[in-house]
Amino acid sequence: MRQALEGSQAIAQAVALCRPQVVAAYPITPQTHIVENLARLVADGKLGCELVSVESEFSAASVALGAACAGSRAYTASASQGILLMSEVLYNIAGLRVPLVLTCANRALSAPLSIWNDQQDSMAVRDAGWIQLYCADNQEAVDITIQAFRIAERCELPVMVCVDGFTLTHTLEPLELPSQEIVDRFLPPYRFSRGLDPLAPLSMGTLVAPEYFTEARHLHHEALLAARQEVEAAAADWAAACGREQAPLVRVDGPPEATIGMLTLGSVFGTLLDARDQFGGPPVKLLHLGCFRPFPTEALRAACTGLEHLIVLERAISPGADGIVGAEVRSALMELDHPPRVHNFAAGLGGRDVPLAIYPRLLDAIGKPHPRMSAIDLRPELLPDKAHAAGEAP
Amino acid sequence: MTTRTLLDLRLNQPRFQGMEAGHRACQGCGQALAARLVLEATGPDVVVANATGCLEVFTTAWPDSAWRVAWLHSLFENTAAVAAGMEAALKAQGRNTKVLAFAGDGGTFDIGFQALSGMLERGHNVLFVCFDNEAYMNTGVQRSGSTPHAAATTTSPAGVARMGKRHLKKDILSIIAAHHIPYAATASVAYPADLRKKVRRGLQVDGPSFLQIHSPCPLGWAHGSELSIEVARLAVQTGLFPLIELERGALTGAMHIRQIRPVTEYLKLQGRFRHLFTDDPRAREELAHLQALADHNIEIYDLLGNSPEALDTEGADTVRRGGLHSA
Amino acid sequence: MIEIRIHGRGGQGSVVAAYVLATTAIDVGRFAQAFPAFGAERRGAPVASFVRIAATPIRRHCQVAQPAFLIIQDETLLELPETLAGLLPGGGIVANTQRDSQALSDTLGHPVHALPATRLSRDTLGRPMPNTALLAAFLTLTNLLPVAGLKDALAQRFKGDVLARNLDLIDQVAAATPAGLWQERAHATSA
């Protein structure tokens, strides 16, 4: 049913439809409305789950872990500092191969302190061993959240659903929420093969000596690579169930003859779509990377075959190195016969608004010398005469 | 200008303004007032470690800062540890600048608790000040361990299946007491002289001290911004927020209440307790619970006391301690 | 596509106003988007929120830099340059003020419809919450969406006496506002 919903509200309702038994809640801007909406559903008797209001994100992830191991579908959400604080647990969850779904309401990382949107937080934990999916808009946030539970439970891998904080979470727009029947048919009851059960006791989280560690890590790596199929299968089944086309790995929008491509993750994609219509110019393929882990190497190569230039516009930066997404994209494409020249930029760091005008600026930048990685929306007039440490008052 | 009385002298005495006006706190913010009062009492020779929360957000929107003291904001959960590090450094340098830690109830009761306990256990010379507005206010009024029983917040809303927060307000002072630190106390923005006195006491301690300041939040508690002081005063006068002092875990002081008020007088001013004033039988039950909590405090802290003073509570204490000199 | 920016102070319901306006559009079958210029929680601070309404899906997620209309919930904000920044030539301003529409139009160089929304809301709602009155005036002036739609959107958020008073306020304001005065402007900027 088509409803006017705020992103967070829709995500909360999507989670509720998946019938979680345990939800761990710790508030952090801009995820707060998700946990608040879930609390409201519980208070109104509409969601029968154990809502555990924990004392920190470290505990939020730990509560979710404990619940999932003890046999209940569990969920939590966080952002930014919270993701970092729980990062130890995130690695632990993934290494233990526990199915969980977590919404990351993408937000910049301190210092400097920022409450606004960029993707530094989820990028910071890209090696934790979670599946990482990125939503281009709020309808994807709803659809992908529901798929995430199935993917997690089939792969026995945790899934992080990344949704741009504020930009998507606090935006109200028309969204379709599926019925409980459709979700119930798509998502069977939670079953974890290695659950903690007195009738079949096992030990989880044991000490693993060098004799066995490599194989364990190898299996985890393989599982993530194989998860690609599950991500695609879930998307196909969900598309059939809800009637909406899904684009799980790489969404490609643009004429096949285009030799210029622009790749991004998250809400900026929609802005680029409108900008291309508004500004015209040379044919451009717009690509959205909906799955970052596992990295969709084949799908990306297929999408980029024939491109001479690929602009990678990302929402995070690895200080002192190339762009995070940019480096991985370059690496994936280098084995093409004619790999495109990759132009790597960051934009919208710390929530700076990314206007339609970014599109012509990006196209313009192709023809000019530029660093291997830089912020396309840098305002040089704000830079001081000599370097000041962040946080110092002038 | 002719000085006529001691009061004139005192009123004209310059007070240290550690926190300047022009910051972005809400109208009626209890925390802003409390922070200002604390720094009035400490003076400038301090270094502050401040937790994430309303206070640091409304005082330091770059490039402006309201602070006139040396000040660092790191993260949410590590304030006591950062303060401990500052203290260790100053000690190694042989300096006696006092280290202050500022945190909200989230940064004290919940996410910051581990670091606080460690700092206290190791005996660092830090005055830890908790600005207690009883919820995660900066992020939009979500419940914390300090949220009172039955209070509505966005993560403990009142509804068909719930009557606000199910769990009790964490008795942080008993937990602090169990660390047997030299000095711990509660204070309230409605009793500024008492607050400053307690800050000065903490300053004098060579070791850890802890001060929990009840700081109304008009937005989160849902009352008029002009009622902050009255609400804070009622919290004390009902016995729900007793003003006490502990040394090495033993009770050594309590502000007596001359006229105990029923908890309803405090609760009814605040929208976060609105659901307790309906015909719902659960509401009556919760009101009884809260009154019982207040009664319990009155008993265990002997808040009625035996004072024969004819003056009001704070006035009585001030006179007993030697008049306006000490206020 | 029509883009509207709402300026107010924290506590005046600017974000709710944006959400209600977008909800109204969505419920009558249009596409719409509403979001605040995000910031930390605090009462009294200037806040802006954005609304887009269109006949086709809205894909962009950037802020509204060139609004066709402004809704001003607090007149002191008219003194800040960022309030009027980017307003399209001829773009209308609905302002909560006791001042005169014509005088303000002359000063600001844009058509202004002034209404004392604080006083009206205090009288009818019992509290100074100007957003309903301003939205009612805006929709009456532009004929962008049916006022009945606004009432339905409010009914999703409010109940009982509060709702009844809001509906009453809408009727009062709609009756006193020149209907369709900005209709051409609204359709010219609509895509």
Side-chain angles (χ1 to χ4, degrees):
Chain A
M1 206 193 87
R2 186 179 191 261
Q3 297 174 57
L5 289 171
E6 196 198 353
S8 307
Q9 205 179 2
I11 291 168
Q13 295 201 29
V15 170
L17 285 166
C18 294
R19 304 187 187 275
Q21 286 191 315
V22 176
V23 172
Y26 191 80
I28 183 166
T29 306
Q31 146 270 42
T32 51
H33 293 184
I34 299 175
V35 295
E36 288 171 13
N37 273 291
L38 286 167
R40 171 51 62 195
L41 289 170
V42 170
D44 289 345
K46 292 181 183 160
L47 174 59
C49 80
E50 287 295 314
L51 180 75
V52 185
S53 286
V54 288
E55 70 284 2
S56 80
E57 289 91 348
F58 183 84
S59 289
S62 303
V63 163
L65 166 63
C69 290
S72 282
R73 181 172 289 147
Y75 170 81
T76 192
S78 196
S80 180
Q81 313 307 126
I83 295 290
L84 289 193
L85 184 61
M86 63 164 67
S87 61
E88 187 188 2
V89 190
L90 296 180
Y91 276 76
N92 188 250
I93 289 167
L96 289 173
R97 299 287 306 278
V98 173
L100 269 179
V101 173
L102 181 149
T103 305
C104 176
N106 288 116
R107 167 185 145 182
L109 289 177
S110 175
L113 179 64
S114 166
I115 56 169
W116 293 275
N117 165 237
D118 71 29
Q119 291 165 358
Q120 199 74 39
D121 51 5
S122 53
M123 286 296 157
V125 293
R126 64 193 183 276
D127 301 330
W130 283 55
I131 293 170
Q132 269 197 8
L133 305 174
Y134 286 80
C135 303
D137 55 43
N138 279 324
Q139 188 63 62
E140 282 200 354
V142 168
D143 291 334
I144 290 171
T145 297
I146 295 167
Q147 292 168 57
F149 283 98
R150 197 178 96 163
I151 296 165
E153 289 161 27
R154 284 200 183 176
C155 298
E156 292 191 349
L157 283 169
V159 179
M160 185 178 291
V161 180
C162 301
V163 181
D164 283 326
F166 282 142
T167 316
L168 290 181
T169 57
H170 285 56
T171 293
L172 179 134
E173 52 190 333
L175 297 171
E176 295 270 358
L177 277 178
S179 67
Q180 185 68 70
E181 292 70 47
I182 288 179
V183 177
D184 286 342
R185 257 181 280 137
F186 176 80
L187 187 64
Y190 182 80
R191 226 185 49 82
F192 180 40
S193 65
R194 287 168 288 116
L196 298 169
D197 182 357
L199 296 175
L202 48 70
S203 303
M204 285 185 87
T206 62
L207 177 66
V208 175
E211 284 89 339
Y212 305 105
F213 191 95
T214 301
E215 286 67 31
R217 202 45 99 224
H218 169 83
L219 286 170
H220 187 178
H221 177 53
E222 291 277 281
L224 260 167
L225 291 175
R228 224 174 279 161
Q229 275 98 288
E230 214 39 74
V231 170
E232 287 184 297
D237 287 352
W238 184 249
C242 73
R244 279 184 296 281
E245 184 225 322
Q246 308 291 307
L249 300 181
V250 182
R251 182 193 290 271
V252 183
D253 186 306
E257 72 273 14
T259 56
I260 300 173
M262 273 187 205
L263 180 143
T264 194
L265 294 84
S267 59
V268 174
F269 185 69
T271 302
L272 293 177
L273 285 172
D274 273 2
R276 183 180 58 184
D277 285 351
Q278 178 160 315
F279 290 98
V284 169
K285 259 191 206 169
L286 292 172
L287 289 80
H288 180 257
L289 201 59
C291 181
F292 186 65
R293 284 292 184 270
F295 193 82
T297 310
E298 281 87 52
L300 186 65
R301 282 184 188 154
C304 293
T305 303
L307 292 180
E308 283 166 24
H309 297 274
L310 178 67
I311 296 165
V312 175
L313 183 66
E314 54 187 293
R315 309 295 314 288
I317 187 163
S318 182
D322 292 350
I324 297 166
V325 179
E328 296 201 12
V329 166
R330 276 198 181 102
S331 169
L333 297 180
M334 66 183 279
E335 276 147 40
L336 283 175
D337 290 335
H338 303 285
R341 174 141 176 251
V342 173
H343 307 266
N344 200 187
F345 298 101
L349 297 177
R352 179 165 295 178
D353 189 49
V354 182
L356 295 169
I358 199 118
Y359 183 85
R361 280 175 75 179
L362 287 167
L363 288 179
D364 212 46
I366 291 178
K368 302 194 177 104
H370 56 76
R372 276 176 75 83
M373 172 60 170
S374 59
I376 187 96
D377 53 0
L378 180 75
R379 288 170 56 198
E381 69 275 14
L382 289 182
L383 298 173
D385 294 330
K386 62 178 207 276
H388 280 126
E392 268 184 29
Chain B
M1 177 217 72
T2 345
T3 309
R4 280 171 300 150
T5 67
L6 208 58
L7 180 59
D8 286 332
L9 194 72
R10 185 170 150 247
L11 289 174
N12 284 298
Q13 180 180 331
R15 287 188 175 175
F16 175 63
Q17 281 273 61
M19 198 176 103
E20 271 298 352
H23 55 71
R24 303 181 183 193
C26 298
Q27 268 186 326
C29 172
Q31 199 176 167
L33 174 58
R36 183 166 64 76
L37 290 170
V38 168
L39 292 176
E40 267 180 28
T42 64
D45 191 17
V46 294
V47 179
V48 177
N50 205 142
T52 305
C54 274
L55 186 59
E56 57 87 13
V57 166
F58 71 66
T59 53
T60 59
W62 200 85
D64 301 320
S65 172
W67 301 99
R68 292 226 175 268
V69 293
W71 183 95
L72 171 69
H73 161 250
S74 170
L75 300 171
F76 196 7
E77 67 276 16
N78 64 357
T79 309
V82 171
M86 290 168 165
E87 183 259 13
L90 291 169
K91 192 161 151 191
Q93 295 165 44
R95 292 160 60 185
N96 57 15
T97 297
K98 186 78 175 189
V99 177
L100 309 175
F102 286 176
D105 44 291
T108 305
F109 289 58
D110 296 346
I111 199 171
F113 185 67
Q114 177 192 311
L116 171 59
S117 180
M119 185 273 280
L120 298 178
E121 182 261 325
R122 295 188 302 269
H124 290 277
N125 184 7
V126 171
L127 167 56
F128 190 103
V129 181
C130 170
F131 299 99
D132 187 6
N133 57 21
E134 301 185 335
Y136 292 104
M137 294 310 188
N138 186 44
T139 46
V141 196
Q142 295 88 21
R143 66 86 102 191
S144 77
S146 169
T147 301
H149 177 69
T153 66
T154 59
T155 45
S156 65
V160 156
R162 291 279 187 273
M163 288 294 281
K165 188 193 183 207
R166 288 180 289 170
H167 313 292
L168 297 175
K169 182 182 173 84
K170 196 187 278 194
D171 183 4
I172 194 76
L173 220 56
S174 293
I175 300 170
I176 300 300
H179 288 69
H180 300 291
I181 60 173
Y183 183 70
T186 53
S188 168
V189 292
Y191 295 88
D194 176 72
L195 194 162
R196 284 193 291 257
K197 178 203 75 171
K198 288 168 172 168
V199 170
R200 281 194 296 272
R201 183 66 204 279
L203 227 53
Q204 287 160 2
V205 163
D206 184 13
S209 50
F210 178 88
L211 187 59
Q212 178 189 6
I213 305 178
H214 204 217
S215 314
C217 169
L219 183 75
W221 298 11
H223 61 75
S225 47
E226 75 283 6
L227 293 178
S228 297
I229 301 298
E230 184 176 336
V231 165
R233 188 177 300 122
L234 282 166
V236 174
Q237 291 173 335
T238 54
L240 279 174
F241 195 89
L243 297 186
I244 59 173
E245 292 172 286
L246 300 165
E247 295 174 40
R248 303 271 177 215
L251 184 72
T252 55
M255 181 182 284
H256 301 142
I257 310 169
R258 289 208 35 81
Q259 241 189 336
I260 304 266
R261 312 287 193 132
V263 296
T264 45
E265 280 189 33
Y266 167 65
L267 302 171
K268 73 182 186 214
L269 290 180
Q270 306 167 61
R272 63 177 173 156
F273 294 110
R274 182 187 321 134
H275 53 286
L276 300 183
F277 294 94
T278 64
D279 291 324
D280 193 324
R282 294 175 304 165
R284 282 195 292 281
E285 206 184 310
E286 295 296 7
L287 283 178
H289 283 158
L290 288 164
Q291 187 61 62
L293 286 168
D295 293 341
H296 179 73
N297 285 342
I298 291 164
E299 192 191 317
I300 59 169
Y301 296 117
D302 186 24
L303 298 180
L304 284 172
N306 293 306
S307 171
E309 307 296 336
L311 300 173
D312 77 36
T313 314
E314 180 177 46
D317 283 343
T318 307
V319 165
R320 196 156 38 80
R321 291 194 201 102
L324 298 171
H325 290 292
S326 311
Chain C
M1 177 186 312
I2 190 160
E3 298 183 306
I4 302 140
R5 206 164 63 205
I6 303 177
H7 292 271
R9 290 192 183 276
Q12 287 178 321
S14 324
V15 182
V16 173
Y19 284 174
V20 164
L21 188 52
T23 302
T24 306
I26 291 166
D27 288 348
V28 301
R30 307 269 253 283
F31 291 90
Q33 187 193 67
F35 56 100
F38 321 99
E41 312 281 330
R42 70 185 184 279
R43 274 180 177 169
V47 295
S49 51
F50 312 104
V51 183
R52 292 187 169 103
I53 299 170
T56 50
I58 299 166
R59 301 174 305 182
R60 70 192 65 175
H61 289 108
C62 44
Q63 294 182 351
V64 172
Q66 295 182 303
F69 294 100
L70 294 180
I71 298 176
I72 311 294
Q73 297 187 306
D74 186 302
E75 61 183 310
T76 60
L77 296 171
L78 288 169
E79 290 154 45
L80 301 176
E82 56 264 30
T83 303
L84 263 62
L87 180 61
L88 293 174
I93 304 171
V94 179
N96 174 20
T97 175
Q98 315 241 54
R99 287 151 73 186
D100 172 65
S101 295
Q102 191 55 57
L104 275 172
S105 303
D106 294 339
T107 313
L108 299 176
H110 287 274
V112 176
H113 178 83
L115 77 153
T118 302
R119 178 173 62 73
L120 290 169
S121 59
R122 227 199 292 265
D123 291 345
T124 311
L125 303 179
R127 43 200 294 256
M129 191 58 81
N131 47 9
T132 308
L134 291 167
L135 288 177
F138 175 72
L139 290 181
T140 308
L141 286 161
T142 57
N143 218 8
L144 192 61
L145 302 165
V147 167
L150 175 63
K151 292 182 176 181
D152 290 338
L154 280 177
Q156 292 171 36
R157 285 182 183 265
F158 304 107
K159 311 228 169 306
D161 186 49
V162 173
L163 175 62
R165 288 166 182 267
N166 270 286
L167 298 183
D168 181 25
L169 180 57
I170 291 173
D171 285 335
Q172 277 179 52
V173 171
T177 306
L181 184 65
W182 295 349
Q183 184 168 308
E184 255 184 63
R185 177 99 213 126
H187 288 113
T189 43
S190 249

